[in-house]
mmCIF file of all heavy atoms in Angstrom:
data_model
loop_
_atom_site.group_PDB
_atom_site.id
_atom_site.type_symbol
_atom_site.label_atom_id
_atom_site.label_comp_id
_atom_site.label_asym_id
_atom_site.label_seq_id
_atom_site.Cartn_x
_atom_site.Cartn_y
_atom_site.Cartn_z
ATOM 1 N N ILE K 1 82.189 105.332 108.650
ATOM 2 C CA ILE K 1 82.952 106.392 108.002
ATOM 3 C C ILE K 1 84.304 105.832 107.603
ATOM 4 O O ILE K 1 85.073 105.365 108.457
ATOM 5 C CB ILE K 1 83.141 107.594 108.946
ATOM 6 C CG1 ILE K 1 81.794 108.136 109.413
ATOM 7 C CG2 ILE K 1 83.943 108.699 108.248
ATOM 8 C CD1 ILE K 1 81.921 109.198 110.495
ATOM 9 N N PHE K 2 84.608 105.860 106.314
ATOM 10 C CA PHE K 2 85.902 105.431 105.799
ATOM 11 C C PHE K 2 86.710 106.668 105.413
ATOM 12 O O PHE K 2 86.207 107.553 104.711
ATOM 13 C CB PHE K 2 85.741 104.532 104.579
ATOM 14 C CG PHE K 2 85.009 103.244 104.848
ATOM 15 C CD1 PHE K 2 83.677 103.106 104.482
ATOM 16 C CD2 PHE K 2 85.650 102.186 105.474
ATOM 17 C CE1 PHE K 2 82.995 101.917 104.728
ATOM 18 C CE2 PHE K 2 84.971 100.997 105.729
ATOM 19 C CZ PHE K 2 83.643 100.865 105.354
ATOM 20 N N LYS K 3 87.958 106.732 105.854
ATOM 21 C CA LYS K 3 88.856 107.820 105.485
ATOM 22 C C LYS K 3 90.142 107.223 104.923
ATOM 23 O O LYS K 3 90.819 106.443 105.595
ATOM 24 C CB LYS K 3 89.177 108.702 106.690
ATOM 25 C CG LYS K 3 87.969 109.466 107.235
ATOM 26 C CD LYS K 3 88.362 110.372 108.397
ATOM 27 C CE LYS K 3 87.157 111.126 108.929
ATOM 28 N NZ LYS K 3 87.525 112.038 110.052
ATOM 29 N N ALA K 4 90.461 107.599 103.683
ATOM 30 C CA ALA K 4 91.663 107.090 103.022
ATOM 31 C C ALA K 4 92.506 108.266 102.556
ATOM 32 O O ALA K 4 92.022 109.122 101.804
ATOM 33 C CB ALA K 4 91.283 106.206 101.833
ATOM 34 N N GLY K 5 93.744 108.318 103.021
ATOM 35 C CA GLY K 5 94.640 109.418 102.667
ATOM 36 C C GLY K 5 95.780 108.935 101.789
ATOM 37 O O GLY K 5 96.225 107.789 101.916
ATOM 38 N N SER K 6 96.254 109.808 100.918
ATOM 39 C CA SER K 6 97.325 109.368 100.014
ATOM 40 C C SER K 6 98.133 110.520 99.443
ATOM 41 O O SER K 6 97.671 111.643 99.336
ATOM 42 C CB SER K 6 96.728 108.578 98.835
ATOM 43 O OG SER K 6 95.942 109.439 98.009
ATOM 44 N N ASP K 7 99.341 110.193 99.109
ATOM 45 C CA ASP K 7 100.244 110.959 98.261
ATOM 46 C C ASP K 7 101.078 109.878 97.537
ATOM 47 O O ASP K 7 101.978 109.297 98.142
ATOM 48 C CB ASP K 7 101.145 111.864 99.112
ATOM 49 C CG ASP K 7 102.154 112.668 98.287
ATOM 50 O OD1 ASP K 7 102.288 112.406 97.071
ATOM 51 O OD2 ASP K 7 102.834 113.517 98.865
ATOM 52 N N ASP K 8 100.683 109.389 96.361
ATOM 53 C CA ASP K 8 99.844 110.047 95.390
ATOM 54 C C ASP K 8 98.394 109.499 95.366
ATOM 55 O O ASP K 8 97.526 110.027 96.009
ATOM 56 C CB ASP K 8 100.475 109.911 94.000
ATOM 57 C CG ASP K 8 101.752 110.722 93.878
ATOM 58 O OD1 ASP K 8 101.694 111.938 94.060
ATOM 59 O OD2 ASP K 8 102.819 110.135 93.605
ATOM 60 N N GLY K 9 98.161 108.404 94.613
ATOM 61 C CA GLY K 9 96.803 107.974 94.342
ATOM 62 C C GLY K 9 96.280 106.911 95.280
ATOM 63 O O GLY K 9 97.045 106.129 95.857
ATOM 64 N N ILE K 10 94.921 106.846 95.408
ATOM 65 C CA ILE K 10 94.309 105.831 96.262
ATOM 66 C C ILE K 10 92.904 105.504 95.775
ATOM 67 O O ILE K 10 92.198 106.377 95.245
ATOM 68 C CB ILE K 10 94.276 106.299 97.731
ATOM 69 C CG1 ILE K 10 94.107 105.117 98.683
ATOM 70 C CG2 ILE K 10 93.175 107.347 97.953
ATOM 71 C CD1 ILE K 10 94.489 105.408 100.113
ATOM 72 N N ILE K 11 92.509 104.241 95.950
ATOM 73 C CA ILE K 11 91.160 103.766 95.630
ATOM 74 C C ILE K 11 90.720 102.834 96.744
ATOM 75 O O ILE K 11 91.475 101.947 97.162
ATOM 76 C CB ILE K 11 91.110 103.019 94.278
ATOM 77 C CG1 ILE K 11 91.379 103.976 93.107
ATOM 78 C CG2 ILE K 11 89.764 102.327 94.083
ATOM 79 C CD1 ILE K 11 91.455 103.280 91.751
ATOM 80 N N LEU K 12 89.489 103.006 97.224
ATOM 81 C CA LEU K 12 88.922 102.111 98.225
ATOM 82 C C LEU K 12 87.650 101.486 97.679
ATOM 83 O O LEU K 12 86.765 102.191 97.178
ATOM 84 C CB LEU K 12 88.601 102.867 99.522
ATOM 85 C CG LEU K 12 87.835 102.065 100.582
ATOM 86 C CD1 LEU K 12 88.690 100.919 101.125
ATOM 87 C CD2 LEU K 12 87.356 102.974 101.718
ATOM 88 N N SER K 13 87.559 100.161 97.800
ATOM 89 C CA SER K 13 86.354 99.434 97.413
ATOM 90 C C SER K 13 85.793 98.716 98.629
ATOM 91 O O SER K 13 86.557 98.171 99.440
ATOM 92 C CB SER K 13 86.665 98.405 96.321
ATOM 93 O OG SER K 13 87.173 99.040 95.164
ATOM 94 N N VAL K 14 84.479 98.733 98.757
ATOM 95 C CA VAL K 14 83.792 98.024 99.834
ATOM 96 C C VAL K 14 82.800 97.057 99.197
ATOM 97 O O VAL K 14 81.914 97.477 98.447
ATOM 98 C CB VAL K 14 83.055 98.999 100.780
ATOM 99 C CG1 VAL K 14 82.328 98.221 101.873
ATOM 100 C CG2 VAL K 14 84.032 99.998 101.390
ATOM 101 N N ASP K 15 82.989 95.779 99.479
ATOM 102 C CA ASP K 15 82.139 94.730 98.901
ATOM 103 C C ASP K 15 82.068 94.849 97.382
ATOM 104 O O ASP K 15 81.004 94.682 96.764
ATOM 105 C CB ASP K 15 80.731 94.783 99.508
ATOM 106 C CG ASP K 15 80.735 94.450 100.996
ATOM 107 O OD1 ASP K 15 81.612 93.686 101.434
ATOM 108 O OD2 ASP K 15 79.866 94.982 101.715
ATOM 109 N N GLY K 16 83.191 95.176 96.769
ATOM 110 C CA GLY K 16 83.287 95.227 95.315
ATOM 111 C C GLY K 16 82.885 96.541 94.681
ATOM 112 O O GLY K 16 83.045 96.718 93.467
ATOM 113 N N SER K 17 82.382 97.484 95.472
ATOM 114 C CA SER K 17 81.978 98.786 94.925
ATOM 115 C C SER K 17 83.008 99.849 95.295
ATOM 116 O O SER K 17 83.374 99.985 96.474
ATOM 117 C CB SER K 17 80.607 99.190 95.477
ATOM 118 O OG SER K 17 79.612 98.271 95.106
ATOM 119 N N VAL K 18 83.460 100.600 94.307
ATOM 120 C CA VAL K 18 84.425 101.672 94.557
ATOM 121 C C VAL K 18 83.708 102.828 95.256
ATOM 122 O O VAL K 18 82.717 103.356 94.742
ATOM 123 C CB VAL K 18 85.065 102.166 93.245
ATOM 124 C CG1 VAL K 18 85.958 103.372 93.511
ATOM 125 C CG2 VAL K 18 85.878 101.043 92.607
ATOM 126 N N VAL K 19 84.213 103.223 96.430
ATOM 127 C CA VAL K 19 83.580 104.301 97.185
ATOM 128 C C VAL K 19 84.487 105.531 97.287
ATOM 129 O O VAL K 19 84.015 106.647 97.528
ATOM 130 C CB VAL K 19 83.174 103.837 98.603
ATOM 131 C CG1 VAL K 19 82.111 102.752 98.503
ATOM 132 C CG2 VAL K 19 84.369 103.337 99.398
ATOM 133 N N ILE K 20 85.791 105.335 97.121
ATOM 134 C CA ILE K 20 86.747 106.443 97.088
ATOM 135 C C ILE K 20 87.661 106.217 95.898
ATOM 136 O O ILE K 20 88.211 105.126 95.727
ATOM 137 C CB ILE K 20 87.580 106.530 98.379
ATOM 138 C CG1 ILE K 20 86.710 107.000 99.546
ATOM 139 C CG2 ILE K 20 88.780 107.474 98.210
ATOM 140 C CD1 ILE K 20 87.426 107.011 100.895
ATOM 141 N N SER K 21 87.815 107.230 95.066
ATOM 142 C CA SER K 21 88.671 107.097 93.883
ATOM 143 C C SER K 21 89.415 108.400 93.640
ATOM 144 O O SER K 21 88.842 109.391 93.192
ATOM 145 C CB SER K 21 87.836 106.724 92.650
ATOM 146 O OG SER K 21 88.667 106.563 91.517
ATOM 147 N N SER K 22 90.688 108.400 93.970
ATOM 148 C CA SER K 22 91.565 109.552 93.698
ATOM 149 C C SER K 22 92.871 109.010 93.124
ATOM 150 O O SER K 22 93.933 109.118 93.742
ATOM 151 C CB SER K 22 91.819 110.352 94.982
ATOM 152 O OG SER K 22 90.639 110.951 95.455
ATOM 153 N N TRP K 23 92.763 108.398 91.959
ATOM 154 C CA TRP K 23 93.903 107.739 91.326
ATOM 155 C C TRP K 23 94.673 108.754 90.480
ATOM 156 O O TRP K 23 94.693 108.728 89.262
ATOM 157 C CB TRP K 23 93.417 106.575 90.464
ATOM 158 C CG TRP K 23 94.445 105.510 90.217
ATOM 159 C CD1 TRP K 23 94.996 105.167 89.016
ATOM 160 C CD2 TRP K 23 95.027 104.637 91.188
ATOM 161 N NE1 TRP K 23 95.892 104.141 89.167
ATOM 162 C CE2 TRP K 23 95.930 103.791 90.509
ATOM 163 C CE3 TRP K 23 94.900 104.487 92.563
ATOM 164 C CZ2 TRP K 23 96.689 102.805 91.152
ATOM 165 C CZ3 TRP K 23 95.644 103.519 93.209
ATOM 166 C CH2 TRP K 23 96.529 102.692 92.514
ATOM 167 N N VAL K 24 95.328 109.688 91.191
ATOM 168 C CA VAL K 24 96.048 110.789 90.547
ATOM 169 C C VAL K 24 97.311 111.089 91.342
ATOM 170 O O VAL K 24 97.434 110.713 92.510
ATOM 171 C CB VAL K 24 95.177 112.067 90.485
ATOM 172 C CG1 VAL K 24 93.973 111.862 89.577
ATOM 173 C CG2 VAL K 24 94.732 112.483 91.883
ATOM 174 N N THR K 25 98.236 111.784 90.709
ATOM 175 C CA THR K 25 99.385 112.298 91.449
ATOM 176 C C THR K 25 98.947 113.561 92.193
ATOM 177 O O THR K 25 98.323 114.448 91.607
ATOM 178 C CB THR K 25 100.558 112.625 90.508
ATOM 179 O OG1 THR K 25 100.105 113.521 89.486
ATOM 180 C CG2 THR K 25 101.110 111.359 89.863
ATOM 181 N N ARG K 26 99.245 113.648 93.478
ATOM 182 C CA ARG K 26 98.807 114.787 94.287
ATOM 183 C C ARG K 26 99.605 114.824 95.582
ATOM 184 O O ARG K 26 100.249 113.844 95.969
ATOM 185 C CB ARG K 26 97.315 114.667 94.622
ATOM 186 C CG ARG K 26 96.968 113.466 95.496
ATOM 187 C CD ARG K 26 95.501 113.458 95.877
ATOM 188 N NE ARG K 26 95.174 112.371 96.806
ATOM 189 C CZ ARG K 26 93.992 112.168 97.358
ATOM 190 N NH1 ARG K 26 92.984 112.975 97.050
ATOM 191 N NH2 ARG K 26 93.774 111.168 98.195
ATOM 192 N N GLY K 27 99.553 115.954 96.267
ATOM 193 C CA GLY K 27 100.068 116.036 97.611
ATOM 194 C C GLY K 27 99.135 115.313 98.558
ATOM 195 O O GLY K 27 98.003 114.965 98.193
ATOM 196 N N TYR K 28 99.584 115.092 99.790
ATOM 197 C CA TYR K 28 98.784 114.305 100.720
ATOM 198 C C TYR K 28 97.420 114.947 100.964
ATOM 199 O O TYR K 28 97.304 116.131 101.268
ATOM 200 C CB TYR K 28 99.517 114.158 102.057
ATOM 201 C CG TYR K 28 98.732 113.355 103.071
ATOM 202 C CD1 TYR K 28 98.575 111.986 102.920
ATOM 203 C CD2 TYR K 28 98.134 113.979 104.161
ATOM 204 C CE1 TYR K 28 97.850 111.247 103.830
ATOM 205 C CE2 TYR K 28 97.403 113.244 105.090
ATOM 206 C CZ TYR K 28 97.268 111.878 104.915
ATOM 207 O OH TYR K 28 96.554 111.152 105.835
ATOM 208 N N ALA K 29 96.380 114.132 100.813
ATOM 209 C CA ALA K 29 95.004 114.561 101.055
ATOM 210 C C ALA K 29 94.212 113.355 101.529
ATOM 211 O O ALA K 29 94.581 112.204 101.261
ATOM 212 C CB ALA K 29 94.382 115.153 99.786
ATOM 213 N N VAL K 30 93.127 113.618 102.247
ATOM 214 C CA VAL K 30 92.295 112.547 102.805
ATOM 215 C C VAL K 30 90.902 112.615 102.194
ATOM 216 O O VAL K 30 90.261 113.670 102.188
ATOM 217 C CB VAL K 30 92.194 112.650 104.339
ATOM 218 C CG1 VAL K 30 91.266 111.572 104.883
ATOM 219 C CG2 VAL K 30 93.583 112.541 104.970
ATOM 220 N N ASP K 31 90.425 111.499 101.660
ATOM 221 C CA ASP K 31 89.076 111.375 101.131
ATOM 222 C C ASP K 31 88.216 110.627 102.141
ATOM 223 O O ASP K 31 88.690 109.714 102.827
ATOM 224 C CB ASP K 31 89.077 110.623 99.801
ATOM 225 C CG ASP K 31 89.890 111.353 98.744
ATOM 226 O OD1 ASP K 31 89.487 112.460 98.355
ATOM 227 O OD2 ASP K 31 90.931 110.807 98.321
#
């Protein structure tokens, strides 16, 4: 289980594949 939180944007890649993509301005949230 991967959890990535951000204010503003965040992207997580695992072995070259993007699994979390919230590349936006926003208040803190966890994907």
Side-chain angles (χ1 to χ4, degrees):
I1 302 172
F2 298 102
K3 294 182 180 181
S6 67
D7 178 351
D8 291 301
I10 200 162
I11 293 175
L12 172 66
S13 299
V14 179
D15 295 331
S17 298
V18 174
V19 296
I20 289 175
S21 181
S22 294
W23 203 245
V24 294
T25 55
R26 64 176 185 176
Y28 180 71
V30 177
D31 299 295

